[in-house]
C-alpha cells in the first residue's frame, strides 16, 4: 500500500507545524503548505530528522493559482488539514474595520473553500478525511470578536454542509475548535505588537500547539467508518466560555 499523504495548510508555525510533525511521526508523507517557505523547510527537516517524509509547497490560500499548483503537486491526498486562518483586530462592531473583516473572510472561509474544493477529487479517491481548524469563536461570540466570529461561523457553515454532501463518497469531515492556544495567533491579531500579544497568555495556562496536534492526529487516524463531527478544546480556565482575557 502507498504511504498515506496528509496536506497541512498554514504549516509554517503553531498548530500547523506541530500537526505536520505529529502526522509525519504517525506515518504520513506530509505536504507542508504556507507562504513562508524557509519556515516550512525547517519543519520539513524536523520531520525528516525523526525518520518521516515531508514535502514543501509554497501556498497562499487566498490565491486560486497557488491552490491549483498545490493540487497539481498532490495527486494523492488521504488527509487534508485546513489550518491556515487567523484573526485581525478586536474592534467593536461600532469601530469595525472592513478591510480586516475582508481578510478574515478571505483566509478563513474562502481559503478553506479553495483548498478543500481543489483536493476533493483526490480525497474522494482515497476515501480520506478533511479536518478543518475552526475556533471556539465559531460557536460562541464575544465583544470585540465580531469579525472573527463571523468568519469562523462562516467556515463552520461550510464545514457542516461539506460533511453532509460528501459523506456519501466516504470522505470524513471534522472541525476542531480550539480556544486559547499559545502560538503566533495573537501576534497576528494585534498586528505584530509582541507585548500585547504576550499579555494574552500571561498569568494563565494556555493550550500548546502540541495539545491540538495530538487531537488532530487522533481524529486523522480513526478507522474509515468513524466520523467525528467536531471537537471543542480549551484550556481549563476557558472551558465553556470563549471570551478571551481582556488585554489593553
Ligand atoms: C482563537 C480562540 O480563544 O484565542 O481561535 O480567541 S481564542
Amino acid at each position: 500500500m502507498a504511504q498515506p499523504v496528509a496536506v497541512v495548510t498554514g504549516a509554517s508555525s503553531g498548530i500547523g507545524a506541530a500537526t505536520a510533525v505529529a502526522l509525519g511521526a504517525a506515518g504520513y508523507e506530509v505536504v507542508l503548505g504556507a507562504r513562508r517557505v524557509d519556515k516550512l523547510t525547517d519543519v520539513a527537516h524536523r520531520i525528516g530528522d525523526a525518520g518521516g517524509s515531508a514535502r514543501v509547497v509554497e501556498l497562499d490560500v487566498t490565491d486560486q493559482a497557488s491552490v491549483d499548483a498545490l493540487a497539481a503537486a498532490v495527486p494523492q491526498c488521504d488527509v487534508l488539514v485546513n489550518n491556515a486562518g487567523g484573526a485581525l483586530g478586536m474592534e467593536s462592531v461600532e469601530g469595525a474595520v472592513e478591510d480586516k473583516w475582508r481578510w478574515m473572510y478571505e483566509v478563513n472561509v474562502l481559503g478553506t473553500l479553495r483548498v478543500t474544493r481543489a483536493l476533493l477529487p483526490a480525497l474522494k479517491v482515497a476515501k480520506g478525511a478533511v479536518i478543518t481548524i475552526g475556533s471556539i469563536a465559531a460557536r460562541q461570540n464575544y465583544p470585540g470578536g465580531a469579525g472573527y466570529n463571523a468568519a469562523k461561523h462562516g467556515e463552520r457553515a461550510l464545514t457542516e454542509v461539506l460533511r453532509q454532501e460528501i459523506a456519501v463518497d466516504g470522505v470524513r469531515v471534522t472541525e476542531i475548535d480550539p480556544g486559547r492556544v499559545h502560538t503566533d495567533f495573537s501576534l497576528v491579531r494585534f498586528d505584530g505588537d509582541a507585548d500585547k500579544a504576550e499579555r494574552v497568555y500571561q498569568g494563565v495556562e494556555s493550550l500548546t500547539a502540541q495539545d491540538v496536534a495530538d487531537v488532530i492526529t487522533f481524529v486523522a487516524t480513526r478507522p474509515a467508518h468513524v466520523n467525528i463531527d467536531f471537537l471543542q478544546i480549551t484550556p481549563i480556565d476557558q472551558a465553556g466560555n470563549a471570551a478571551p482575557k481582556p488585554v489593553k
Side-chain angles (χ1 to χ4, degrees), residues 134-137 142 148 152 178-181 185 189 238 242 244:
S135 169
I136 192 173
Y142 55 83
Y148 185 55
K152 283 300 188 187
R180 192 182 62 248
V181 187
F185 174 83
R189 172 171 250 180
Q238 198 189 15

Side-chain angles (χ1 to χ4, degrees), residues 7 9 59-72 74-75 77 79-82 105-125 129-132 155 158-159 161-163 165-166 169 171 173:
V7 173
T9 69
L59 174 67
D60 177 354
V61 300
T62 69
D63 176 357
Q64 185 62 50
S66 175
V67 172
D68 289 345
L70 169 74
V74 185
C77 180
V79 172
L80 164 62
V81 181
N82 283 310
Y105 195 85
E106 183 63 46
V107 174
N108 293 286
V109 186
L110 294 177
T112 294
L113 168 66
R114 281 186 201 99
V115 176
T116 304
R117 187 174 52 191
L119 292 179
L120 266 186
L123 284 157
K124 284 186 188 177
V125 170
V130 177
I131 302 174
T132 294
E155 185 180 39
L158 156 66
T159 305
V161 171
L162 175 70
R163 180 181 303 118
E165 291 176 349
I166 211 75
D169 293 297
V171 177
V173 178

Side-chain angles (χ1 to χ4, degrees), residues 6-11 15-17 19-20 23 30-34 59 79-81 83:
V7 173
V8 182
T9 69
I15 293 171
T19 299
L23 291 175
V30 188
V31 179
L32 307 156
L59 174 67
V79 172
L80 164 62
V81 181
N83 168 71

Side-chain angles (χ1 to χ4, degrees), residues 2 16 35 42 67 86 124 149 156 163 166 185 214 231 239:
R35 284 169 303 174
D42 290 346
V67 172
K124 284 186 188 177
N149 287 136
R156 177 180 164 194
R163 180 181 303 118
I166 211 75
F185 174 83
D214 289 344
L231 285 169

